[in-house]
């Protein structure tokens, strides 16, 4: 039912989901299973239906910096790379329509960390059984997509480092190993099994499900009772409107845009908001803090010629190591790229080989944390992102990258991978000292596009928690947050499946339905 307000036409639904990304698609599908429940999804980007640019997985790299990318940048990074484009997807399905769809279940200890951080009810015994509800088609890279050089990387890594070859990283928790990743895709046709494809495409004809695409949400507004359940939006035609949630407003805009929307709406650090002239609705100092990521560097080799053409998405295999054997989780990861990823090394003056490969030493649980904030009260201005890369006082993140560059060279010097390689292009064999490797590794560092943590959940007495374990926003009625911004700590592995599991659990928390193990879900 529509009415007219100072913010344009207002329509009402039971649930309004802001953000049609990875989590938003799950919630939209699950909540609209009840035919009497009216669900609306507000998504700033277009549909992915029928668009091969989105649906073909191997095209992911061409989406970076495209019309489907919000393209956020960082502030100056004194100890890192200040030139990183933090791609955030502007399309239905969000980053699951935009990324490589590498799909790992979170390790049990990752979820134990959440419970230790005050997130009661988010332990492995509760969260991991939701894997059986996932609709995405997750399989190890198909045999036809296994490039010979990637196979030789796996063999060389296992031989050089004494780690097992892992056939399926999701079969059981692992401490280390080399192997082909599991991906959310359909190998025939190289088609994504993104959150939108798996959850929304089959149910788009539900009469109780409304998608508002190319619609930008820029401020939350109170309803007559003071609950923050209305969203001011602007459609593709520029016309203002308001969408109201009669039950709950669900923020699923991701770790950048969810806190951004809260700050623009007066929910966040009170002093910061007042300085920008924003009326304070709730003083929540944790909004925008605890900005997490998986930083990684890169080491590039030239190959003797073009590689065989087959691949799922050109980064199909990887390696996990446990340098600290006193702990059960890996503390160093590598992606193996079958293309030379030189966006950062070229800027540093290194040549671009016509044909090449690279390894990317990655910090699974980085100890450097950052923050984001508004530059102004103008919703159109991008927020400031400061990941504070490589600033942890003990130098752990820096040490991890230096170790990773050295270990990558060990793998590259081992047969059968070494037989493909002509020379190391970046940083080059002359860069050998820890100081030199650190300087190069930090300046060539990149992101794996995993921002998280900026609206983290926590215990009732945690002053920096933005949400409780029930995902309800503190100090404001009517709002829950469901996306990677609620992560209190970063999972060791690529976090997309953790977002899917969190959204599946959130659907039960919202509706009160029991979880897959029969445990209750408090509303």
């Amino acid at each position: 039912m529509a009415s007219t307000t100072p913010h344009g036409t207002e329509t009402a639904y039971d649930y309004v989901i802001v953000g049609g990304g990875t989590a938003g698609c799950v919630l939209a599908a699950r909540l609209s299973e009840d035919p009497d429940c009216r669900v609306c999804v507000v998504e700033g980007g277009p549909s992915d239906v029928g668009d091969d640019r989105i649906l073909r997985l191997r095209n992911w790299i061409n989406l970076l910096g495209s019309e489907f990318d919000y393209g956020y940048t960082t502030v100056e990074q004194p100890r890192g790379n200040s030139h990183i484009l933090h791609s955030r997807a502007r399309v239905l399905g969000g980053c699951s329509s935009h990324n490589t769809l590498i799909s790992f279940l979170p390790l049990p200890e990752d979820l134990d960390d959440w419970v230790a951080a005050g997130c009661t009810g988010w332990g492995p015994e509760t969260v991991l059984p939701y894997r059986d509800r996932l609709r995405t088609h997750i399989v190890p890279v198909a045999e036809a997509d296994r490039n010979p050089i990637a196979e030789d990387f796996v063999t060389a890594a296992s031989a050089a480092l004494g780690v097992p070859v892992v056939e399926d990283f999701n079969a059981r928790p692992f401490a280390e190993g080399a192997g082909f990743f599991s991906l959310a895709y359909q190998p025939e046709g190289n088609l994504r099994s993104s959150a939108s494809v798996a959850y929304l495409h089959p149910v788009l004809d539900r009469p109780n499900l409304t998608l508002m695409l190319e619609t930008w949400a820029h401020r939350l507004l109170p309803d007559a009772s003071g609950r923050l359940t209305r969203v001011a939006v602007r459609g593709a035609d520029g016309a203002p409107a308001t969408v109201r949630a009669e039950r709950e407003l669900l923020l699923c805009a991701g770790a950048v845009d969810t806190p951004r929307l809260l700050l623009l709406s007066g929910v966040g650090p009170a002093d910061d908001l007042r300085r920008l002239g924003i009326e304070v609705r709730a003083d929540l100092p944790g909004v925008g803090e605890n900005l997490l990521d998986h930083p990684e560097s890169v080491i590039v080799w030239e190959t003797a010629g073009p590689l065989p053409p087959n691949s799922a998405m050109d980064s199909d295999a990887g390696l996990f190591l446990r340098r600290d054997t006193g702990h059960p989780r890996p503390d160093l990861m590598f992606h193996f790229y079958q293309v030379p990823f030189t966006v950062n090394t070229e800027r540093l003056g290194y040549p671009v080989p016509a044909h090449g490969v690279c390894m990317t030493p990655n910090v699974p649980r980085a100890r450097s944390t950052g923050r984001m904030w508004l530059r102004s009260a103008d919703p159109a201005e991008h927020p400031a992102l400061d990941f504070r890369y490589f600033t942890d006082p003990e130098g752990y993140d820096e040490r991890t990258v230096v170790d990773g560059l050295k270990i990558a060279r060990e793998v590259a010097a081992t047969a059968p991978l070494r037989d493909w390689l002509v020379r190391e292009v970046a940083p080059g064999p002359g860069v050998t000292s820890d100081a030199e490797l650190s300087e190069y590794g930090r300046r060539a560092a990149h992101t794996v596009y995993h921002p998280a943590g900026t609206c983290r959940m926590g215990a009732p007495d945690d002053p920096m928690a933005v949400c409780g374990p029930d995902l309800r926003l503190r100090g404001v009625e009517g709002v829950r947050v469901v996306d990677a911004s609620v992560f209190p700590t970063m999972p060791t592995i690529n976090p997309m499946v953790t977002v899917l599991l969190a959204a599946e659990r959130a659907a039960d928390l919202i509706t009160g339905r029991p979880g897959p193990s029969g445990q209750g879900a408090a509303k």
Side-chain angles (χ1 to χ4, degrees), residues 113-120 457-460 469:
D113 286 349
W114 288 17
V115 175
C119 303
T120 304
M457 54 179 168

Side-chain angles (χ1 to χ4, degrees), residues 5 20 32 40 100 113 165 246 248 267 319 344 354 361 364 370 385 401:
T5 76
S32 64
C40 176
T100 57
D113 286 349
V165 173
E246 295 188 340
E248 287 189 87
V267 179
L319 165 66
N344 293 317
L385 302 180
V401 165

